C-alpha cells in the first residue's frame, strides 16, 4: 500500500522541549514538504526538499529544522525557539518538483502545554 | 512572488443552497491549479485544472478555470452538511505549491 505516513497522530509536549515529527513515504517521490495549519486557516509552508540531502526554507521556517538523509524520510523538529508551536502539521510529497499533484499525509496534531 | 487569493474566507449557508468559491492567482509560469477539500484531517484532492473553459465535474461539485482573467471557481450545488469543510486552492508553477488561505464553508441543516 503506497502512501505517506506521519507519526504520531497526536503529540503533547511541555513548553521548552524540542520535538521531532516523523514523515515517511513509499511513493518514490523526490519532493517532500512540511506545512503548518492553525485552526480555520490555510496551509503555511515550513520547509521543503526537492531531493535527498537538500532542503529550502519555506515561509515560516523560524523555530523549525529538517533533514533529508533518505529519499523516503523527511522529519521535522519543532525547537524551543518556535514561539507558538501548537498546530496541525501536514507532510506532503510530489513525484518531482515539476509534478502537478501533491499528496498529503494524515497529519500530526501537536499541543504544547 | 507567486500569489493565490481565495474569497470569501468564510461562508455560512443552509442545506440546499448553491455556493461559489473563488480563487485568483498571480504566477509567472502557470502550470495547473488544484482544489482540495479539508475536513478535520489531511486535504483530499478534488480537481486539477490546466485548460481554460473546460469544466471539471464530480457529483454536485464542479470547477472551471479562466486563464485569461487568472481565476478559478468551485461550485457546489444542493449543499449538504457533509460539505462543511475548508476548501483550498493551490497553484503548481514553482518548486513548491502556492496555497490560498482557504474558504471555511459551513452548511447548516
Amino acid at each position: 500500500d503506497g502512501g505517506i505516513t506521519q507519526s504520531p497522530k497526536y503529540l503533547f509536549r511541555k513548553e521548552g522541549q524540542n520535538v521531532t515529527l516523523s514523515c515517511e513515504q513509499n511513493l518514490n517521490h523526490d519532493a517532500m514538504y512540511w506545512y503548518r495549519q492553525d485552526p480555520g486557516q490555510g496551509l503555511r509552508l515550513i520547509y521543503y526538499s526537492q531531493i535527498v540531502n537538500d532542503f529550502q526554507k519555506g515561509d515560516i521556517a523560524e523555530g523549525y529544522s529538517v533533514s533529508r538523509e533518505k529519499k523516503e524520510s523527511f522529519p521535522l523538529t519543532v525547537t524551543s525557539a518556535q514561539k507558538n508551536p501548537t498546530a496541525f502539521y501536514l507532510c506532503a510529497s510530489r513525484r518531482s518538483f515539476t509534478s502537478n499533484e501533491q499528496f498529503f499525509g494524515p497529519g500530526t496534531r501537536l499541543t504544547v502545554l | 512572488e507567486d500569489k493565490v487569493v481565495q474569497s470569501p474566507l468564510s461562508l455560512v449557508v443552509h442545506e440546499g443552497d448553491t455556493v461559489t468559491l473563488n480563487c485568483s492567482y498571480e504566477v509567472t509560469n502557470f502550470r495547473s491549479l488544484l482544489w482540495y477539500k479539508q475536513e478535520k484531517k489531511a486535504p483530499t484532492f478534488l480537481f486539477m485544472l490546466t485548460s481554460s473553459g473546460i469544466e471539471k465535474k464530480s457529483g454536485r461539485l464542479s470547477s472551471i478555470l479562466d486563464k485569461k482573467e487568472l481565476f478559478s471557481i468551485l461550485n457546489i450545488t444542493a449543499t449538504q452538511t457533509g460539505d462543511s469543510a475548508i476548501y483550498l486552492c493551490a497553484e503548481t508553477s514553482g518548486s513548491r505549491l502556492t496555497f490560498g488561505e482557504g474558504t471555511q464553508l459551513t452548511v447548516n441543516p
Side-chain angles (χ1 to χ4, degrees), chain A residues 31 33 35 37-43 45 48 50 57-59 88 90 94 97-107 109, chain B residues 1 9 31-32 34 36 38-45 48 50 86 88 91-102 104:
Chain A
Y33 303 81
Y35 296 91
Q37 187 175 35
D38 294 288
Q41 297 187 20
L43 306 182
L45 183 66
Y48 63 105
Q50 298 179 33
K57 291 182 180 180
D59 301 320
F88 186 50
L90 282 162
R94 293 161 88 179
F97 69 90
T98 58
S99 301
N100 284 334
E101 205 168 341
Q102 182 164 286
F103 300 87
F104 286 90
R109 197 166 296 278
Chain B
E1 185 181 326
L9 295 181
R31 201 157 64 215
S32 69
L34 309 180
Y36 290 90
Q38 186 184 24
E39 296 166 272
K40 294 185 192 304
K41 50 190 176 170
T44 54
F45 174 78
M48 180 171 72
T50 55
I86 296 175
L88 299 163
E91 197 287 324
T92 68
S93 63
S95 55
R96 46 172 284 182
L97 268 65
T98 302
F99 279 88
E101 291 181 354
Q104 174 81 64

Side-chain angles (χ1 to χ4, degrees), chain A residues 49-68:
Chain A
S49 167
Q50 298 179 33
I51 200 164
V52 175
N53 292 321
D54 185 51
F55 50 83
Q56 288 81 39
K57 291 182 180 180
D59 301 320
I60 55 164
E62 187 174 346
Y64 299 97
S65 66
V66 293
S67 63
R68 187 86 188 276

Side-chain angles (χ1 to χ4, degrees), chain B:
Chain B
E1 185 181 326
D2 295 346
K3 191 175 176 185
V4 174
V5 176
Q6 291 186 246
S7 65
L9 295 181
S10 178
L11 187 57
V12 181
V13 300
H14 291 292
E15 260 191 323
D17 288 349
T18 293
V19 298
T20 299
L21 309 183
N22 303 294
C23 176
S24 65
Y25 60 90
E26 295 175 24
V27 298
T28 46
N29 292 298
F30 177 83
R31 201 157 64 215
S32 69
L33 191 129
L34 309 180
W35 281 98
Y36 290 90
K37 176 184 180 181
Q38 186 184 24
E39 296 166 272
K40 294 185 192 304
K41 50 190 176 170
T44 54
F45 174 78
L46 293 175
F47 298 112
M48 180 171 72
L49 303 162
T50 55
S51 301
S52 239
I54 298 175
E55 186 183 51
K56 293 277 182 97
K57 202 167 169 64
S58 176
R60 296 176 294 103
L61 277 66
S62 64
S63 185
I64 198 161
L65 177 69
D66 185 329
K67 287 167 81 171
K68 182 179 176 187
E69 299 298 329
L70 308 183
F71 77 90
S72 172
I73 59 172
L74 175 68
N75 276 323
I76 309 175
T77 59
T79 51
Q80 302 171 358
T81 55
D83 295 326
S84 295
I86 296 175
Y87 290 85
L88 299 163
C89 74
E91 197 287 324
T92 68
S93 63
S95 55
R96 46 172 284 182
L97 268 65
T98 302
F99 279 88
E101 291 181 354
T103 294
Q104 174 81 64
L105 174 65
T106 302
V107 181
N108 290 324

